[in-house]
Short mmCIF file of all heavy atoms in Angstrom, two decimals:
data_model
loop_
_atom_site.label_atom_id
_atom_site.label_comp_id
_atom_site.label_asym_id
_atom_site.label_seq_id
_atom_site.Cartn_x
_atom_site.Cartn_y
_atom_site.Cartn_z
N ASN F 1 0.16 3.40 -2.76
CA ASN F 1 -0.26 4.81 -2.78
C ASN F 1 -0.65 5.26 -4.19
O ASN F 1 -1.58 6.05 -4.37
CB ASN F 1 0.86 5.70 -2.24
CG ASN F 1 0.97 5.64 -0.73
OD1 ASN F 1 -0.01 5.32 -0.05
ND2 ASN F 1 2.15 5.92 -0.20
N MET F 2 0.07 4.77 -5.19
CA MET F 2 -0.27 5.12 -6.58
C MET F 2 -1.64 4.59 -6.96
O MET F 2 -2.42 5.28 -7.63
CB MET F 2 0.81 4.57 -7.53
CG MET F 2 2.15 5.27 -7.43
SD MET F 2 3.36 4.52 -8.56
CE MET F 2 4.88 5.28 -7.97
N VAL F 3 -1.94 3.35 -6.57
CA VAL F 3 -3.26 2.77 -6.85
C VAL F 3 -4.33 3.56 -6.12
O VAL F 3 -5.41 3.85 -6.67
CB VAL F 3 -3.31 1.29 -6.43
CG1 VAL F 3 -4.72 0.73 -6.59
CG2 VAL F 3 -2.34 0.47 -7.26
N ARG F 4 -4.05 3.95 -4.89
CA ARG F 4 -5.00 4.74 -4.11
C ARG F 4 -5.28 6.09 -4.78
O ARG F 4 -6.39 6.63 -4.68
CB ARG F 4 -4.46 4.95 -2.70
CG ARG F 4 -5.43 5.65 -1.76
CD ARG F 4 -4.87 5.83 -0.37
NE ARG F 4 -4.80 4.56 0.34
CZ ARG F 4 -3.67 3.97 0.70
NH1 ARG F 4 -2.51 4.51 0.38
NH2 ARG F 4 -3.70 2.83 1.35
N ASN F 5 -4.27 6.61 -5.47
CA ASN F 5 -4.42 7.92 -6.13
C ASN F 5 -4.91 7.81 -7.57
O ASN F 5 -4.90 8.80 -8.31
CB ASN F 5 -3.08 8.66 -6.10
CG ASN F 5 -2.70 9.09 -4.69
OD1 ASN F 5 -3.57 9.40 -3.87
ND2 ASN F 5 -1.41 9.10 -4.39
N GLY F 6 -5.32 6.60 -7.98
CA GLY F 6 -5.96 6.48 -9.28
C GLY F 6 -5.20 5.74 -10.35
O GLY F 6 -5.73 5.52 -11.45
N ARG F 7 -3.96 5.33 -10.08
CA ARG F 7 -3.20 4.58 -11.08
C ARG F 7 -3.72 3.14 -11.16
O ARG F 7 -4.25 2.60 -10.20
CB ARG F 7 -1.72 4.54 -10.70
CG ARG F 7 -1.03 5.89 -10.74
CD ARG F 7 -0.68 6.29 -12.15
NE ARG F 7 0.08 7.54 -12.18
CZ ARG F 7 0.49 8.11 -13.30
NH1 ARG F 7 0.23 7.56 -14.47
NH2 ARG F 7 1.16 9.25 -13.27
N SER F 8 -3.55 2.54 -12.33
CA SER F 8 -3.87 1.12 -12.45
C SER F 8 -2.80 0.31 -11.71
O SER F 8 -1.70 0.81 -11.45
CB SER F 8 -3.94 0.70 -13.91
OG SER F 8 -2.65 0.72 -14.49
N LEU F 9 -3.14 -0.93 -11.40
CA LEU F 9 -2.20 -1.77 -10.65
C LEU F 9 -0.91 -2.01 -11.43
O LEU F 9 0.19 -1.93 -10.87
CB LEU F 9 -2.88 -3.11 -10.32
CG LEU F 9 -2.13 -4.03 -9.37
CD1 LEU F 9 -1.92 -3.36 -8.02
CD2 LEU F 9 -2.91 -5.34 -9.19
N SER F 10 -1.04 -2.29 -12.72
CA SER F 10 0.15 -2.54 -13.54
C SER F 10 1.02 -1.29 -13.66
O SER F 10 2.25 -1.37 -13.61
CB SER F 10 -0.25 -3.04 -14.93
OG SER F 10 -1.12 -2.12 -15.56
N GLU F 11 0.39 -0.13 -13.79
CA GLU F 11 1.14 1.12 -13.86
C GLU F 11 1.88 1.38 -12.56
O GLU F 11 3.05 1.79 -12.56
CB GLU F 11 0.20 2.29 -14.16
CG GLU F 11 -0.31 2.35 -15.58
CD GLU F 11 -1.29 3.50 -15.79
OE1 GLU F 11 -1.93 3.93 -14.81
OE2 GLU F 11 -1.40 3.97 -16.93
N ALA F 12 1.20 1.15 -11.44
CA ALA F 12 1.80 1.38 -10.13
C ALA F 12 3.00 0.47 -9.91
O ALA F 12 4.05 0.91 -9.42
CB ALA F 12 0.76 1.17 -9.03
N PHE F 13 2.85 -0.80 -10.25
CA PHE F 13 3.96 -1.75 -10.10
C PHE F 13 5.14 -1.36 -10.99
O PHE F 13 6.30 -1.46 -10.58
CB PHE F 13 3.50 -3.16 -10.42
CG PHE F 13 2.78 -3.85 -9.30
CD1 PHE F 13 1.80 -4.81 -9.56
CD2 PHE F 13 3.06 -3.55 -7.98
CE1 PHE F 13 1.14 -5.45 -8.53
CE2 PHE F 13 2.39 -4.17 -6.94
CZ PHE F 13 1.43 -5.12 -7.21
N GLU F 14 4.83 -0.94 -12.20
CA GLU F 14 5.90 -0.59 -13.14
C GLU F 14 6.64 0.67 -12.69
O GLU F 14 7.87 0.72 -12.72
CB GLU F 14 5.31 -0.38 -14.53
CG GLU F 14 6.36 -0.10 -15.60
CD GLU F 14 5.76 0.01 -16.98
OE1 GLU F 14 4.52 0.05 -17.11
OE2 GLU F 14 6.55 0.06 -17.96
N MET F 15 5.90 1.69 -12.26
CA MET F 15 6.52 2.96 -11.87
C MET F 15 7.31 2.84 -10.56
O MET F 15 8.33 3.50 -10.38
CB MET F 15 5.45 4.04 -11.73
CG MET F 15 4.77 4.41 -13.05
SD MET F 15 3.42 5.57 -12.84
CE MET F 15 4.32 7.03 -12.29
N SER F 16 6.85 1.98 -9.66
CA SER F 16 7.52 1.82 -8.37
C SER F 16 8.68 0.82 -8.44
O SER F 16 9.54 0.83 -7.56
CB SER F 16 6.52 1.36 -7.30
OG SER F 16 6.03 0.07 -7.61
N GLY F 17 8.67 -0.03 -9.46
CA GLY F 17 9.70 -1.07 -9.55
C GLY F 17 9.51 -2.16 -8.52
O GLY F 17 10.47 -2.84 -8.14
N ALA F 18 8.26 -2.34 -8.06
CA ALA F 18 8.00 -3.29 -6.99
C ALA F 18 8.15 -4.74 -7.43
O ALA F 18 8.54 -5.59 -6.63
CB ALA F 18 6.59 -3.06 -6.42
N ILE F 19 7.83 -5.03 -8.69
CA ILE F 19 7.97 -6.40 -9.17
C ILE F 19 8.79 -6.40 -10.45
O ILE F 19 8.84 -5.38 -11.15
CB ILE F 19 6.59 -7.07 -9.40
CG1 ILE F 19 5.83 -6.37 -10.53
CG2 ILE F 19 5.77 -7.08 -8.12
CD1 ILE F 19 4.53 -7.06 -10.87
N PRO F 20 9.43 -7.53 -10.78
CA PRO F 20 10.27 -7.60 -11.99
C PRO F 20 9.46 -7.34 -13.25
O PRO F 20 8.26 -7.67 -13.31
CB PRO F 20 10.80 -9.04 -11.95
CG PRO F 20 10.68 -9.48 -10.54
CD PRO F 20 9.48 -8.78 -10.00
N PRO F 21 10.09 -6.79 -14.27
CA PRO F 21 9.39 -6.50 -15.54
C PRO F 21 8.76 -7.74 -16.17
O PRO F 21 7.74 -7.63 -16.85
CB PRO F 21 10.51 -5.94 -16.42
CG PRO F 21 11.53 -5.40 -15.48
CD PRO F 21 11.47 -6.30 -14.28
N ALA F 22 9.36 -8.91 -15.93
CA ALA F 22 8.84 -10.14 -16.54
C ALA F 22 7.41 -10.44 -16.09
O ALA F 22 6.65 -11.11 -16.81
CB ALA F 22 9.75 -11.31 -16.19
N LEU F 23 7.03 -9.95 -14.92
CA LEU F 23 5.69 -10.21 -14.40
C LEU F 23 4.68 -9.12 -14.76
O LEU F 23 3.47 -9.29 -14.56
CB LEU F 23 5.73 -10.37 -12.87
CG LEU F 23 6.61 -11.51 -12.34
CD1 LEU F 23 6.64 -11.47 -10.82
CD2 LEU F 23 6.10 -12.85 -12.82
N MET F 24 5.18 -8.00 -15.25
CA MET F 24 4.32 -6.86 -15.54
C MET F 24 3.27 -7.20 -16.61
O MET F 24 2.11 -6.80 -16.49
CB MET F 24 5.15 -5.67 -16.00
CG MET F 24 5.99 -5.03 -14.91
SD MET F 24 5.03 -4.60 -13.45
CE MET F 24 3.70 -3.68 -14.20
N SER F 25 3.68 -7.93 -17.65
CA SER F 25 2.75 -8.27 -18.72
C SER F 25 1.61 -9.14 -18.20
O SER F 25 0.46 -9.02 -18.65
CB SER F 25 3.48 -8.98 -19.85
OG SER F 25 4.12 -10.16 -19.37
#
């Protein structure tokens, strides 16, 4: 939903906590 509303993929993953921080970079 965040990506749909204009967030970047990395931002959306980081804000939602969907994936571990180690993969965010």
Side-chain angles (χ1 to χ4, degrees):
N1 284 336
M2 290 179 192
V3 174
R4 186 180 288 114
N5 291 327
R7 294 281 185 181
S8 69
L9 189 60
S10 56
E11 286 178 335
F13 279 150
E14 184 176 9
M15 294 175 66
S16 65
I19 65 175
L23 300 175
M24 290 307 309
S25 58

